[in-house]
Amino acid sequence: MGRTGFIVVAALLSAPAAARGQDDGVRGQWSATFSGGAALQAGGEFHEGGRGTVLGLATTVDAKRNTDIFDPGVGWRGGVAYGVARRVEVFTDFAWKRSRSSEQSVGNVATLDLRASFGDYTSYGMDAGMRYHLALDGRVTPYVSALAGFRRVEAIPGTFSVPAAGVTLRDTPFFDDSTVPVFGGDLGMLFAVSPRVRLGVEGGLRYHTDLEQIEGLAGTGLENLNDGGSRWSVPISAVVRFAF
């Protein structure tokens, strides 16, 4: 058999294997994914409103949502996935996010403006979930995913002031360190730049339950002010994925 014959036989033998690899999709494949971008506030009550007495003066506080208190934040995720079916992967990720607050008016004390600023919102935790690829053929592969996990949210104190009276209550305990369940999903699109590397964009939705309150306002009639802390957010990220 000449050289040409060997080439023909090798091509015939490799063709079924290549076809099987393509037919398997992501089945049996490990991958690592990293993403980062904005973490937009989408809702959830940060604190309730109420009426009480502070320093012997009638005080009114308005309810505020996360969108009122926090600026758009930043976040990143990193994790691994394994293909359990042609279009389906299971994955686990580590996630981190931070948003900064800005001072604002939250009510009044004896008709004088009451202002508040809160500590940064910083969270980290783990997710696990399933990713379903809507298409696998071609250079562009859209997907959807669903996930659940937990977040450790660092304590958030509050500083309350009445500038007209020169009164400031600094670092008032408000929310304690909290571990809360989180649920969410993503919609994304990956673009092949090499056989094992894809770049993409992703948008999603996250929700976690109320934070652990601290009775820093005990005796004021405003003890229920921090019966809240649930959060909706919309992460929008750039994605890089490595298959191996």
Side-chain angles (χ1 to χ4, degrees):
M1 183 183 297
R3 181 176 179 182
T4 302
F6 279 113
I7 293 174
V8 172
V9 171
L12 292 174
L13 291 175
S14 63
R20 284 195 300 271
Q22 186 176 18
D23 289 342
D24 284 345
V26 298
R27 189 197 310 271
Q29 182 183 90
W30 287 94
S31 63
T33 301
F34 303 92
S35 63
L40 307 180
Q41 314 304 323
E45 186 174 64
F46 182 71
H47 67 70
E48 296 183 359
R51 296 176 181 272
T53 302
V54 176
L55 302 176
L57 301 173
T59 301
T60 300
V61 178
D62 302 324
K64 295 292 181 179
R65 300 178 68 79
N66 285 294
T67 50
D68 300 321
I69 300 295
F70 293 102
D71 299 332
V74 295
W76 60 266
R77 294 167 60 196
V80 296
Y82 180 74
V84 296
R86 183 175 186 275
R87 293 177 180 266
V88 180
E89 296 174 298
V90 293
F91 65 85
T92 182
D93 286 335
F94 177 85
W96 177 91
K97 179 165 58 179
R98 172 174 289 169
S99 298
R100 300 187 182 279
S101 69
S102 54
E103 183 182 285
Q104 61 182 283
S105 176
V106 295
N108 62 78
V109 177
T111 72
L112 300 177
D113 186 34
L114 172 64
R115 304 191 67 80
S117 62
F118 295 91
D120 294 344
Y121 173 97
T122 303
S123 72
Y124 55 90
M126 299 293 296
D127 299 323
M130 182 186 73
R131 184 180 297 117
Y132 180 81
H133 294 268
L134 300 173
L136 291 172
D137 302 325
R139 294 179 60 85
V140 180
T141 57
Y143 63 87
V144 295
S145 63
L147 60 87
F150 73 91
R151 291 291 181 273
R152 181 68 173 175
V153 183
E154 296 181 359
I156 303 176
T159 293
F160 301 91
S161 63
V162 184
V167 174
T168 301
L169 300 176
R170 297 187 182 279
D171 295 326
T172 303
F174 203 76
F175 288 120
D176 201 357
D177 293 328
S178 307
T179 301
V180 293
V182 63
F183 309 94
D186 294 303
L187 174 64
M189 189 169 294
L190 295 171
F191 305 86
V193 295
S194 78
R196 294 190 177 275
V197 179
R198 291 179 181 267
L199 302 178
V201 292
E202 181 180 86
L205 185 65
R206 299 288 185 275
Y207 171 77
H208 74 60
T209 57
D210 290 348
L211 303 177
E212 294 289 334
Q213 63 180 5
I214 304 176
E215 297 299 345
L217 299 171
T220 66
L222 297 169
E223 292 86 355
N224 294 329
L225 200 65
N226 53 358
D227 289 352
S230 63
R231 183 183 183 93
W232 289 94
S233 62
V234 177
I236 301 175
S237 305
V239 180
V240 58
R241 170 191 168 99
F242 303 94
F244 52 91

